[in-house]
Amino acid sequence: ATADDSGIASLTKREREISDLIADRMTNKEIAAQLFLSEKTVESHIRNVFNKLGASSRVEVARVIDRERRERPTPAE
């Protein structure tokens, strides 16, 4: 396992949801609206995500999530 794997594994369900939306290029305002949260709450979750992933930007978070999405096995249809 890489450091990124353990970082992603440490995210809460809500932090993972927000990370996925960051990777989908949504703004804090859009994330807040979609998840019915305040923008301040979204900002707090994003700070936690940055800390857990060792990221300093949304681009870094998106890269980690995109890499994980590519490596994740897809369920059979």
Side-chain angles (χ1 to χ4, degrees):
T2 66
D4 288 339
D5 292 335
S6 58
I8 288 175
S10 71
L11 298 179
T12 65
K13 183 178 180 218
R14 181 63 86 186
E15 289 166 352
R16 179 53 200 253
E17 284 179 303
I18 289 172
S19 298
D20 284 333
L21 296 174
I22 288 172
D24 293 339
R25 298 186 173 168
M26 292 180 75
T27 65
N28 288 5
K29 187 173 189 171
E30 292 168 334
I31 293 169
Q34 177 153 341
L35 299 179
F36 304 101
L37 298 171
S38 75
E39 285 185 63
K40 290 291 184 190
T41 299
V42 170
E43 290 168 12
S44 177
H45 284 302
I46 291 173
R47 269 193 306 277
N48 292 338
V49 168
F50 278 23
N51 288 332
K52 289 180 179 181
L53 297 182
S56 59
S57 71
R58 296 170 76 92
V59 171
E60 287 181 39
V61 171
R63 284 184 184 145
V64 170
I65 296 301
D66 286 341
R67 186 178 321 121
E68 193 271 343
R69 285 175 176 171
R70 285 191 308 271
E71 294 172 358
R72 183 187 322 151
T74 55
E77 293 183 21

